[in-house]
Amino acid sequence: MDFEDVSLTALRVFRAVAEHGTFTAAATSLGYTQSAVSRQVAAIERAAGTQLLQRRREGVRLTAAGHTVLRHATVVLDEIEATARELSGLPPAAGTVRLGWIPSAGAVLLPRALTELGRTDPGLRVVSREGTTPVLVRALRALRAGSLDLVLLGSAPPFRSPDTETPPLVVETLTERSLRLAVPASHPLARGDFVDVADLRGQRWIAGPSSGEDRLMGVWPGLDERPEIAHTARDWLAKLHLVAAGLGLTTVSAALAPAAPEGVRILPVRGGPQEHRRLLLAGLARRPTQSVNRVAAALRAAALAVT
């Protein structure tokens, strides 16, 4: 089969595999069986005359030829979508920017940025999807696949690069702030303007579910004891409401302080190594559209405003 005869279905399947990183996840997103996905990928590789994906235990990685196919497939599929919209009488989607973001960014920064964009660029449409940082790190593939235009994600020390694939992405630091502690307003630790790290021994903690490097997210890093996890919650707002109920302590980004519910004090911790968290903005290295530039500028301005 000549590559010019490759079907649109095969291109869509290939892009989904490149975005999700596994055949299984791509099949789920498309509503296909895994065997159907495998057949489509095999067909497009036969047409290309070379391997497009490196199969690994942890997932797939694009080869150099795979990156070439993905780049052109994204253009083709976007043009087909634009044609379908025009034939249906729908407005063009050129002013749409697709953004991925971590939950803490959605509390203050993202609403501020989108509100300002609504005032300055009312014709610009931002479509966003939330994910935890580990999920968004995997979703950086979606930038290359054309499913996302920008990604907001968090980074903790030692601040390794969130992405090691090629071609490289453009990653910039929007903010770097000290990690803070959320304390019930009725707790003895809430009486001062800061908490001494020595006073964190023996406390009850509200942490996120175990997941790789975030297995103790919500517990102050580096404690010299096995922490008592009183409650586990994935959602940061649920954690803060549990704190407000006096059920434990949790760590939060300083950016969440304005969104803390009544009954919670957000305090710095002193007496140990400083803990910092970065908010990163990732995008494609290729020249972005004006719409993407405007959204990126609004995110930078909002990040400065909430510092």
Coordinates of all heavy atoms in Angstrom, one line a residue, residues 134-177:
P134 N 1.1 14.3 37.2 CA 1.6 13.1 36.5 C 0.8 12.9 35.2 O 1.3 12.4 34.2 CB 1.4 12.0 37.5 CG 1.5 12.7 38.8 CD 0.8 14.1 38.6
V135 N -0.5 13.1 35.2 CA -1.4 12.9 34.0 C -1.0 13.9 33.0 O -0.9 13.6 31.8 CB -2.9 13.0 34.4 CG1 -3.7 13.0 33.1 CG2 -3.3 11.8 35.3
L136 N -0.8 15.1 33.3 CA -0.4 16.2 32.4 C 1.0 16.0 31.8 O 1.2 16.3 30.6 CB -0.6 17.6 33.0 CG -2.0 18.0 33.2 CD1 -2.0 19.4 33.9 CD2 -2.8 18.1 31.9
V137 N 1.9 15.4 32.6 CA 3.2 15.1 32.0 C 3.0 14.1 30.9 O 3.6 14.3 29.8 CB 4.1 14.6 33.1 CG1 5.4 14.0 32.5 CG2 4.5 15.7 34.1
R138 N 2.2 13.1 31.1 CA 1.9 12.2 30.0 C 1.2 12.9 28.8 O 1.4 12.6 27.7 CB 1.1 11.0 30.5 CG 1.9 10.1 31.4 CD 1.2 8.8 31.6 NE -0.1 8.9 32.3 CZ -0.3 9.0 33.6 NH1 0.7 8.9 34.4 NH2 -1.5 9.1 34.1
A139 N 0.3 13.9 29.2 CA -0.5 14.6 28.2 C 0.4 15.6 27.4 O -0.2 16.2 26.5 CB -1.6 15.3 28.9
L140 N 1.6 15.8 27.8 CA 2.5 16.6 26.9 C 2.6 16.0 25.5 O 2.8 16.8 24.6 CB 3.9 16.7 27.6 CG 4.0 17.6 28.8 CD1 5.4 17.6 29.4 CD2 3.5 19.0 28.6
R141 N 2.4 14.7 25.4 CA 2.3 14.1 24.1 C 1.2 14.7 23.3 O 1.2 14.8 22.1 CB 2.1 12.6 24.2 CG 3.2 11.8 24.9 CD 2.9 10.3 24.8 NE 3.9 9.6 25.6 CZ 3.6 9.1 26.8 NH1 2.5 9.3 27.4 NH2 4.5 8.4 27.4
A142 N 0.1 15.2 24.0 CA -1.0 15.8 23.3 C -0.6 17.1 22.6 O -1.3 17.5 21.6 CB -2.2 16.0 24.3
L143 N 0.4 17.8 23.1 CA 0.9 19.0 22.5 C 1.4 18.6 21.1 O 1.1 19.3 20.1 CB 1.9 19.6 23.3 CG 1.5 20.4 24.6 CD1 2.7 20.8 25.4 CD2 0.7 21.6 24.2
R144 N 2.2 17.6 21.1 CA 2.8 17.1 19.8 C 1.7 16.6 18.8 O 1.8 16.7 17.6 CB 3.9 16.1 20.0 CG 5.1 16.6 20.8 CD 6.2 15.6 20.8 NE 7.3 16.2 21.5 CZ 7.6 16.1 22.8 NH1 6.7 15.4 23.6 NH2 8.6 16.6 23.3
A145 N 0.7 15.9 19.4 CA -0.4 15.3 18.6 C -1.4 16.4 18.2 O -2.2 16.1 17.4 CB -1.1 14.2 19.4
G146 N -1.3 17.6 18.7 CA -2.2 18.7 18.2 C -3.5 18.7 19.0 O -4.4 19.4 18.6
S147 N -3.7 17.9 20.1 CA -4.9 17.9 20.9 C -4.9 19.0 21.9 O -6.0 19.3 22.5 CB -5.1 16.5 21.5 OG -5.2 15.5 20.5
L148 N -3.7 19.5 22.3 CA -3.6 20.6 23.2 C -2.7 21.6 22.6 O -1.7 21.3 21.9 CB -3.1 20.1 24.6 CG -4.0 19.3 25.5 CD1 -3.3 18.8 26.7 CD2 -5.3 20.1 25.9
D149 N -2.9 22.8 23.0 CA -2.0 23.9 22.6 C -1.1 24.4 23.7 O 0.1 24.8 23.4 CB -2.8 25.1 22.1 CG -3.7 24.8 20.9 OD1 -3.2 24.3 19.9 OD2 -5.0 24.9 21.1
L150 N -1.5 24.3 24.9 CA -0.7 24.8 26.1 C -1.0 23.8 27.2 O -2.2 23.3 27.3 CB -1.1 26.2 26.5 CG -0.7 27.3 25.5 CD1 -1.3 28.6 25.9 CD2 0.8 27.5 25.4
V151 N -0.1 23.7 28.1 CA -0.3 22.9 29.3 C 0.3 23.6 30.5 O 1.5 24.0 30.5 CB 0.4 21.5 29.2 CG1 0.3 20.7 30.5 CG2 -0.3 20.7 28.1
L152 N -0.5 23.7 31.6 CA 0.0 24.2 32.9 C 0.2 23.0 33.8 O -0.7 22.2 33.9 CB -1.1 25.1 33.5 CG -1.2 26.6 33.0 CD1 -2.5 27.2 33.6 CD2 0.0 27.4 33.4
L153 N 1.4 22.9 34.3 CA 1.7 21.8 35.2 C 2.6 22.3 36.4 O 3.3 23.3 36.3 CB 2.3 20.6 34.5 CG 3.7 20.8 33.8 CD1 4.3 19.5 33.6 CD2 3.5 21.5 32.4
G154 N 2.6 21.5 37.4 CA 3.4 21.8 38.6 C 4.8 21.0 38.6 O 4.9 20.0 37.9
S155 N 5.7 21.5 39.3 CA 7.0 20.9 39.4 C 7.6 21.1 40.9 O 7.5 22.2 41.4 CB 8.0 21.5 38.4 OG 9.3 20.9 38.5
A156 N 8.1 20.0 41.4 CA 8.7 20.0 42.7 C 10.2 19.7 42.6 O 10.7 19.1 41.6 CB 8.0 19.0 43.6
P157 N 11.0 20.1 43.6 CA 12.4 19.8 43.6 C 12.6 18.3 43.4 O 11.9 17.5 43.9 CB 12.9 20.2 45.0 CG 11.9 21.2 45.4 CD 10.6 20.8 44.9
P158 N 13.6 17.9 42.6 CA 14.8 18.7 42.1 C 14.5 19.4 40.8 O 15.5 19.7 40.1 CB 15.9 17.6 42.0 CG 15.2 16.4 41.6 CD 13.9 16.4 42.4
F159 N 13.3 19.6 40.4 CA 12.9 20.4 39.2 C 13.5 19.8 37.9 O 14.2 20.5 37.2 CB 13.3 21.8 39.4 CG 12.7 22.5 40.5 CD1 13.4 23.2 41.5 CD2 11.3 22.5 40.6 CE1 12.8 23.8 42.6 CE2 10.7 23.2 41.7 CZ 11.4 23.8 42.7
R160 N 13.3 18.5 37.8 CA 13.7 17.9 36.5 C 12.8 18.3 35.4 O 11.7 18.7 35.6 CB 13.7 16.3 36.6 CG 14.6 15.7 37.7 CD 14.5 14.2 37.7 NE 15.3 13.6 38.7 CZ 14.8 13.3 39.9 NH1 13.6 13.5 40.2 NH2 15.6 12.7 40.8
S161 N 13.3 18.2 34.2 CA 12.5 18.5 33.0 C 11.3 17.6 32.9 O 11.4 16.4 33.1 CB 13.4 18.4 31.7 OG 12.5 18.5 30.6
P162 N 10.1 18.2 32.7 CA 8.9 17.3 32.7 C 8.8 16.5 31.4 O 8.0 15.7 31.3 CB 7.8 18.3 32.8 CG 8.4 19.6 32.1 CD 9.8 19.6 32.5
D163 N 9.7 16.8 30.4 CA 9.6 16.1 29.1 C 10.9 15.9 28.6 O 11.8 16.7 28.5 CB 8.8 17.1 28.2 CG 8.6 16.5 26.8 OD1 7.9 15.5 26.7 OD2 9.2 17.1 25.9
T164 N 11.1 14.6 28.1 CA 12.4 14.2 27.5 C 12.3 13.8 26.1 O 13.3 13.3 25.5 CB 13.1 13.1 28.4 OG1 12.2 12.0 28.4 CG2 13.3 13.6 29.8
E165 N 11.1 13.8 25.5 CA 11.0 13.4 24.2 C 11.4 14.5 23.2 O 11.6 15.6 23.5 CB 9.5 12.9 23.9 CG 9.1 11.7 24.8 CD 7.7 11.2 24.5 OE1 7.2 11.6 23.4 OE2 7.2 10.5 25.3
T166 N 11.4 14.1 21.9 CA 11.7 15.0 20.8 C 10.6 15.1 19.9 O 9.8 14.1 19.7 CB 13.0 14.6 20.1 OG1 12.8 13.3 19.6 CG2 14.2 14.6 21.0
P167 N 10.4 16.2 19.2 CA 11.1 17.4 19.3 C 10.8 18.1 20.7 O 9.8 17.9 21.2 CB 10.6 18.3 18.2 CG 9.3 17.8 17.9 CD 9.3 16.3 18.2
P168 N 11.8 18.9 21.2 CA 11.6 19.5 22.5 C 10.5 20.5 22.6 O 10.2 21.1 21.5 CB 13.0 20.1 22.8 CG 13.6 20.4 21.5 CD 13.1 19.3 20.6
L169 N 9.8 20.6 23.7 CA 8.8 21.6 23.9 C 9.4 22.8 24.5 O 10.5 22.8 25.1 CB 7.7 21.0 24.8 CG 7.0 19.8 24.3 CD1 6.1 19.2 25.4 CD2 6.2 20.0 23.0
V170 N 8.7 23.9 24.5 CA 9.1 25.2 25.1 C 8.4 25.2 26.5 O 7.2 25.2 26.6 CB 8.7 26.4 24.3 CG1 9.0 27.7 25.1 CG2 9.4 26.4 23.0
V171 N 9.2 25.1 27.6 CA 8.7 25.1 28.9 C 9.2 26.3 29.7 O 10.4 26.5 29.8 CB 9.1 23.8 29.7 CG1 8.5 23.8 31.1 CG2 8.6 22.6 28.9
E172 N 8.3 27.1 30.2 CA 8.8 28.3 31.0 C 8.2 28.3 32.4 O 7.1 27.7 32.6 CB 8.3 29.6 30.3 CG 6.8 29.8 30.2 CD 6.5 31.1 29.5 OE1 6.7 32.1 30.2 OE2 5.9 31.1 28.4
T173 N 8.9 28.8 33.4 CA 8.4 28.9 34.7 C 7.6 30.2 34.9 O 8.1 31.3 34.7 CB 9.6 28.9 35.7 OG1 10.3 27.7 35.6 CG2 9.1 29.0 37.2
L174 N 6.3 30.0 35.3 CA 5.4 31.2 35.5 C 5.6 31.7 36.9 O 5.7 32.9 37.2 CB 4.0 30.8 35.3 CG 3.6 30.4 33.9 CD1 2.0 30.3 33.8 CD2 4.0 31.5 32.9
T175 N 5.7 30.8 37.9 CA 5.9 31.2 39.3 C 6.7 30.2 40.0 O 6.8 29.0 39.6 CB 4.5 31.3 40.1 OG1 3.9 30.0 40.1 CG2 3.6 32.3 39.4
E176 N 7.4 30.6 41.1 CA 8.0 29.7 42.0 C 7.7 30.2 43.4 O 8.2 31.3 43.8 CB 9.5 29.6 41.8 CG 10.2 28.7 42.8 CD 11.7 28.4 42.4 OE1 12.1 28.6 41.3 OE2 12.4 28.0 43.3
R177 N 7.0 29.5 44.2 CA 6.6 29.9 45.5 C 6.9 28.9 46.6 O 7.0 27.7 46.3 CB 5.0 30.2 45.5 CG 4.6 31.2 44.5 CD 3.1 31.5 44.8 NE 2.6 32.5 43.9 CZ 1.9 32.2 42.8 NH1 1.7 31.0 42.4 NH2 1.4 33.2 42.0

